[in-house]
Amino acid sequence: MKPSFLFRCVFILHFCLGMGSVRGYANLPQESPIQNIAGRFQPGKSAAEALRMADRMYRAGQNFHSDSLLQKALHYYERQKPCPELTRLYFYTGLFYEQRNQPAEALKRYTLAETNVALVPDSLFSPAIARKILALQQAVGKKTAEDLQWETRYTELLQQSDQWHAAARGWRTACIVLTFLLLAFAGISHYRTLYRKRELFKSQLFIERLQRAEEELKEKMSRQLHEKDGKLKDFFRLRVEMIKEFVEFSQKYANNPEKLRYKFQRTISTDSFSPTDWALLLEGVNITGNGIISYLKKNYPELTEENLRYCALICAGFETDELAVLWDVNNTSIYKRRTRLRQKLNLPQNQDLKKYFDELIARLR
């Protein structure tokens, strides 16, 4: 079988199938529901198929009995004007109206095709369009035809102007919306930047306040430690001076024991202590005892100043005999004072005060 013969058979088969589809298009008043749904998803493909079917009908010399698909294709290609497809579609629509004996509508379509040809030249359809316009001018009259043509061109220009204005409004709206969005974004970014700067400034201010508070606390603690250290030094200095005084008494009255005993009692008697001496004693015991004097003042407000002094001396390690010498009383009076002190401290009568104070100092630590 020769290749040329096979090619001719395929061409004839394709032409017959094409004619069948053209005849179907010619007798089809409108699209089927399935074609309509498919065309919504692929409008370009549907418009191109309708134009190809119209080309086949025109080449076959058949009449157009429906313009539904032509109008659909026109609706698609008019959004892409100018283009060569519009020339053919306007021409085919003019043929449709001419076959329906509507010369005015046909002349309008031919005029639109002629206008589109001026923008997109088409050597195949230009002569046919010119012949159709000339024939219709002779049929309806030259003046009437020219009026229709000018009206069509004016209407087309108005439509194009409306389209351009609509496009301009669309672009203007898009620009306004875009500008608004950019301004909003810039505003939000600026606000977030300011908010972060404020938060950073607050954090830095808070850190600086903490640092100042820490420095003030360190300075206060250093000052208090310095004051307490000075008081302790004064307290121990007085004790050293007292010891030196005792040594001098022992050397001076070594041959007179009674005189030495009298001077010793007079020196260490509590009557010889000044308020400053007692304050130094209380402060020294409070420091070395982890704040025990302050604790007793706060939790036992019924304690007198003399009771606190007695507590300080017990915490310092003075025994009953030593306390009797200091107060220049007998041991019985010291036992009575201990009993009254236990009652104020809500302690059992057999509670050892030195042991109680040592345990309290340990807890306060």
Side-chain angles (χ1 to χ4, degrees):
M1 183 179 295
K2 296 182 179 180
S4 59
F5 178 76
L6 181 60
F7 177 77
R8 291 173 184 174
C9 292
V10 172
F11 179 78
I12 293 172
L13 180 61
H14 177 72
F15 184 79
C16 292
L17 292 175
M19 288 301 294
S21 62
V22 170
R23 284 193 295 270
Y25 170 78
N27 297 322
L28 186 65
Q30 59 182 1
E31 285 185 293
S32 66
I34 296 178
Q35 289 176 326
N36 192 12
I37 294 173
R40 292 182 181 178
F41 293 99
Q42 295 179 328
K45 184 177 180 180
S46 178
E49 181 64 24
L51 183 58
R52 283 195 296 270
M53 295 172 70
D55 289 338
R56 293 169 189 166
M57 289 182 63
Y58 175 71
R59 288 194 297 268
Q62 294 189 357
N63 294 332
F64 295 94
H65 298 293
S66 174
D67 68 335
S68 58
L69 292 182
L70 288 175
Q71 293 295 337
K72 183 175 182 179
L74 274 172
H75 180 70
Y76 174 77
Y77 284 110
E78 279 180 343
R79 290 177 296 179
Q80 303 178 14
K81 62 174 61 172
C83 61
E85 289 82 2
L86 273 177
T87 302
R88 287 143 56 193
L89 286 170
Y90 284 139
F91 181 75
Y92 296 153
T93 310
L95 290 177
F96 170 77
Y97 285 116
E98 188 177 359
Q99 292 165 6
R100 293 175 64 91
N101 199 18
Q102 296 180 5
E105 292 296 329
L107 183 59
K108 291 180 181 180
R109 297 305 183 276
Y110 291 142
T111 302
L112 292 175
E114 183 183 36
T115 304
N116 198 73
V117 165
L119 299 174
V120 184
D122 191 333
S123 58
L124 293 177
F125 284 87
S126 295
I129 294 171
R131 288 196 299 270
K132 290 293 184 180
I133 292 175
L134 182 60
L136 287 174
Q137 285 179 347
Q138 295 176 356
V140 301
K142 186 175 182 179
K143 186 174 186 326
T144 304
E146 288 179 353
D147 291 340
L148 286 174
Q149 285 182 298
W150 282 113
E151 181 183 356
T152 303
R153 294 189 182 100
Y154 179 72
T155 304
E156 179 68 10
L157 290 175
L158 286 179
Q159 290 179 354
Q160 290 180 358
S161 177
D162 292 340
Q163 290 176 357
W164 291 337
H165 284 301
R169 284 194 300 270
W171 279 106
R172 185 168 57 250
T173 304
C175 292
I176 292 173
V177 172
L178 183 60
T179 304
F180 175 77
L181 292 176
L182 290 175
L183 291 175
F185 178 76
I188 293 173
S189 300
H190 182 65
Y191 172 78
R192 292 183 64 182
T193 303
L194 292 179
Y195 178 78
R196 289 178 180 175
K197 287 183 178 179
R198 261 197 319 270
E199 292 297 320
L200 182 60
F201 177 74
K202 289 181 180 179
S203 301
Q204 292 176 348
L205 186 62
F206 180 71
I207 293 173
E208 291 177 359
R209 288 177 179 174
L210 286 179
Q211 291 176 348
R212 282 201 303 270
E214 183 181 4
E215 292 175 357
E216 292 175 358
L217 182 60
K218 287 181 179 179
E219 184 179 357
K220 182 179 179 181
M221 291 180 65
S222 177
R223 187 170 58 252
Q224 290 178 351
L225 288 175
H226 182 71
E227 292 176 357
K228 291 180 179 179
D229 184 62
K231 290 180 180 179
L232 281 176
K233 288 180 180 179
D234 294 338
F235 174 72
F236 288 111
R237 181 177 53 80
L238 290 175
R239 292 195 65 180
V240 171
E241 292 177 356
M242 185 181 293
I243 293 172
K244 288 181 180 180
E245 191 174 356
F246 290 160
V247 173
E248 291 176 358
F249 285 161
S250 62
Q251 292 176 352
K252 185 176 181 180
Y253 301 102
N255 297 326
N256 192 350
E258 292 296 329
K259 187 71 172 177
L260 176 62
R261 181 174 177 275
Y262 174 75
K263 286 290 185 180
F264 178 75
Q265 288 182 346
R266 291 289 298 175
T267 302
I268 66 174
S269 174
T270 55
D271 296 336
S272 64
F273 283 15
S274 67
T276 304
D277 297 334
W278 282 115
L280 287 173
L281 175 65
L282 292 175
E283 184 68 21
V285 173
N286 193 53
I287 294 172
T288 57
N290 300 319
I292 186 171
I293 302 301
S294 301
Y295 176 82
L296 293 174
K297 286 182 179 179
K298 180 180 179 181
N299 293 277
Y300 301 99
E302 65 274 7
L303 293 176
T304 63
E305 188 68 25
E306 185 178 356
N307 295 144
L308 293 173
R309 293 172 182 176
Y310 190 76
C311 293
L313 290 171
I314 294 175
C315 292
F318 284 85
E319 300 294 340
T320 302
D321 295 337
E322 296 171 342
L323 292 173
V325 172
L326 285 173
W327 260 282
D328 195 16
V329 295
N330 54 28
N331 291 351
T332 303
S333 298
I334 297 300
Y335 290 140
K336 290 181 180 179
R337 290 188 182 188
R338 286 177 180 271
T339 301
R340 289 193 295 270
L341 185 59
R342 289 189 187 96
Q343 291 176 355
K344 290 185 178 182
L345 295 175
N346 298 322
L347 296 175
Q349 291 302 319
N350 58 352
Q351 174 69 53
D352 184 82
L353 290 175
K354 182 65 170 64
K355 184 179 180 181
Y356 169 73
F357 288 138
D358 290 342
E359 293 176 353
L360 182 59
I361 290 172
R363 288 200 304 270
L364 292 175
R365 186 180 298 115

